[in-house]
Amino acid sequence: MSNQVIAITGPSGFVAKGLQTRLRTHEGVEVRLIPRSAWDDVHRLAAKLAGCDAVLHIAGVNRGTEDEVRTGNTVMAEKLVRACEANGQTPHVVFSSTTQRDNGSPYGRAKLAAEQTLAEWSHRTGAPLSIAVLPNVYGAGCRPNYNSVVATFCAKLAAGESPQIIEDREVEFIWVGDVAERLCGLLADPPAETRVTRLEGCATLKVSELLAKLEDFRASFFERHIVPDLTSHLDATLYSTFLSYVDLDDHRHTPEVKADNRGELYEIIKLATGGQVFFSTTKPGVIRGNHYHTRKVEWFCVLKGEAVIRLRPIHGGAVKDFRVCGDRPQFISIPVLHTHHIENVGSEELLTMFWCNEVFDQADPDTFYDAVA
Ligand SMILES: Cc1cn([C@H]2C[C@H](O)[C@@H](COP(=O)(O)OP(=O)(O)O[C@H]3O[C@@H](C)[C@H](O)[C@@H](O)[C@H]3O)O2)c(=O)[nH]c1=O
């Protein structure tokens, strides 16, 4: 795609923004944004499109009166064709259509008619045409209360409101980043004949299942302060989408301080599947620990100060010393059934970061006192 001029219609929409984000990484590609105002006059549109190698035609109207939906889809395709004809150009057009193209709704009919207009032009002129059929797209930046249940639910939940299930049907979802990747893939491979590509979503969920997931994200973020299980692509992208709707003022988290005469301890990052990250301060000369675990593993990393970490197998064996200092951070992993402690041997406060594979549970801490030496 290098040295190509690529026009994007509907550039303020979130799918188009996802494409712009992705195309930024392609060196030598010039992206030309076609604003809505250009569509008022075919000659102005033609001037904007002149010299373009490809057009990512993303602009469209998804909701509105029948007339608005027709004008915003079918008539736009007609204007695109006329503008290309006025320029005598045959750019590769990548058109974003919808899985609703076959459902007979005004929107579906308008999209299908737009496809047909473009296909007829492509057939007549030899211009390459790629039609991408998209399921329900979600991602950061999608306007709530418009045409995305994910955006509407995320915005409401993040604002402390309760979304309503209007129709609990199954919906196929695709993440905007995947749409951008797939559309760029089509863009890079102009077809000889009109090509219709159905973009598969990453999951199909009932609206109630989606709401349950997002409600869990809300509770884990605002109440439990824990990162949920993000192992699946759907959950990872839905979670990042949800967080993008959270007011920036709500992104500050203040952990509880657990202080005693040894220093302070803060649990900072808790992960439903990955345990927790925490850190402590330790006063000079003070020892923390002198305990072992039967199932938990921990990693220690001194970030500032000087320390000795000592381990001893509880069923017999010598004490092992690790001298560590913040000037050259190193992780020491602590095996189970090894009693251990950390001693601040420096003259200043010690700052240590820890990871444990379990979130600390006061009712079941798996921590047993046994002095190392
Ligand atoms: C917004 C919202 C939706 N819903 C339901 C209604 C629908 O059955 C389902 C999905 O609704 P939406 O995401 O609004 O839209 P949708 O799935 O009907 O349509 C979407 O699908 C794509 C294929 C189209 O191309 C897009 O343009 C988009 O409109 O969620 C609720 O129950 N509560 C709500 O608050």
Side-chain angles (χ1 to χ4, degrees):
M1 279 201 292
S2 53
N3 299 323
Q4 286 219 347
V5 181
I6 297 167
I8 301 183
T9 69
S12 55
F14 94 114
V15 172
K17 288 219 171 95
L19 278 162
Q20 290 165 53
T21 309
R22 190 162 181 94
L23 285 171
R24 264 190 214 168
T25 62
H26 288 265
E27 246 175 67
V29 167
E30 181 191 324
V31 173
R32 197 177 294 173
L33 305 180
I34 310 298
R36 192 155 281 273
S37 59
W39 297 84
D40 295 343
D41 178 276
V42 169
H43 295 291
R44 199 180 313 155
L45 183 61
K48 291 272 183 201
L49 293 174
C52 288
D53 300 291
V55 180
L56 282 163
H57 183 35
I58 313 299
V61 173
N62 309 53
R63 298 283 197 268
T65 62
E66 193 154 340
D67 197 44
E68 285 165 343
V69 165
R70 201 185 70 80
T71 308
N73 295 291
T74 321
V75 175
M76 264 188 158
E78 288 163 8
K79 285 184 177 175
L80 179 61
V81 164
R82 278 196 276 142
C84 289
E85 283 176 339
N87 286 339
Q89 67 179 141
T90 52
H92 176 197
V93 171
V94 178
F95 175 57
S96 73
S97 187
T98 167
T99 50
Q100 298 196 15
R101 69 208 278 268
D102 302 315
N103 70 4
S105 66
Y107 172 60
R109 285 202 309 273
K111 279 287 192 186
L112 200 56
E115 284 183 30
Q116 284 158 356
T117 298
L118 294 169
E120 189 276 323
W121 164 74
S122 159
H123 186 69
R124 185 160 36 84
T125 62
L129 173 65
S130 301
I131 294 169
V133 179
L134 275 60
N136 196 310
V137 188
Y138 66 92
C142 182
R143 171 152 54 117
N145 308 314
Y146 181 56
N147 71 333
S148 161
V149 63
V150 172
T152 302
F153 281 8
C154 285
K156 283 189 189 294
L157 288 166
E161 296 168 23
S162 302
Q164 299 302 313
I165 296 177
I166 300 163
E167 188 193 10
D168 195 13
R169 69 168 162 89
E170 292 205 320
V171 181
E172 183 183 347
F173 292 105
I174 189 165
W175 177 55
V176 66
D178 294 333
V179 172
E181 186 184 336
R182 296 293 310 279
L183 293 186
C184 285
L186 296 178
L187 190 64
D189 178 26
E193 294 180 354
T194 296
R195 168 181 58 193
V196 179
T197 308
R198 169 74 159 82
L199 304 197
E200 295 298 326
C202 62
T204 297
L205 298 176
K206 288 187 80 173
V207 173
S208 53
E209 290 171 325
L210 170 75
L211 182 56
K213 253 183 202 305
L214 295 174
E215 281 175 337
D216 181 62
F217 290 168
R218 199 209 69 80
S220 64
F221 185 80
F222 286 102
E223 290 156 24
R224 301 200 298 274
H225 305 286
I226 184 165
V227 180
D229 180 352
L230 302 179
T231 13
S232 80
H233 183 60
L234 170 76
D235 289 344
T237 51
L238 260 187
Y239 185 67
S240 66
T241 301
F242 171 71
L243 287 200
S244 74
Y245 288 88
V246 172
D247 192 288
L248 284 183
D249 284 334
D250 290 329
H251 282 271
R252 186 200 295 268
H253 307 266
T254 310
E256 186 189 335
V257 49
K258 298 177 180 186
D260 56 28
N261 53 11
R262 298 170 299 175
E264 295 174 350
L265 189 143
Y266 298 85
E267 294 173 345
I268 47 171
I269 302 167
K270 297 181 186 183
L271 306 147
T273 50
Q276 71 177 27
V277 176
F278 54 110
F279 73 89
S280 71
T281 61
T282 307
K283 293 172 185 162
V286 166
I287 292 179
R288 280 183 178 275
N290 278 327
H291 59 227
Y292 63 92
H293 310 294
T294 64
R295 59 166 198 265
K296 294 201 307 197
V297 289
E298 286 176 322
W299 291 44
F300 289 24
C301 182
V302 167
L303 301 179
K304 196 162 155 284
E306 290 175 55
V308 176
I309 295 166
R310 297 188 183 90
L311 311 180
R312 178 179 55 75
I314 59 167
H315 295 303
V319 174
K320 168 81 179 163
D321 286 9
F322 293 92
R323 181 143 191 140
V324 282
C325 91
D327 291 346
R328 186 167 182 273
Q330 292 175 309
F331 286 99
I332 307 298
S333 46
I334 315 291
V336 290
L337 306 180
H338 282 66
T339 190
H340 49 275
H341 70 209
I342 180 165
E343 178 179 0
N344 182 351
V345 296
S347 55
E348 293 178 5
E349 187 180 71
L350 184 72
L351 180 62
T352 316
M353 189 178 90
F354 304 87
W355 166 76
C356 177
N357 69 317
E358 288 182 19
V359 172
F360 184 75
D361 179 0
Q362 187 69 60
D364 180 19
D366 186 43
T367 300
F368 305 94
Y369 179 80
D370 185 354
V372 175

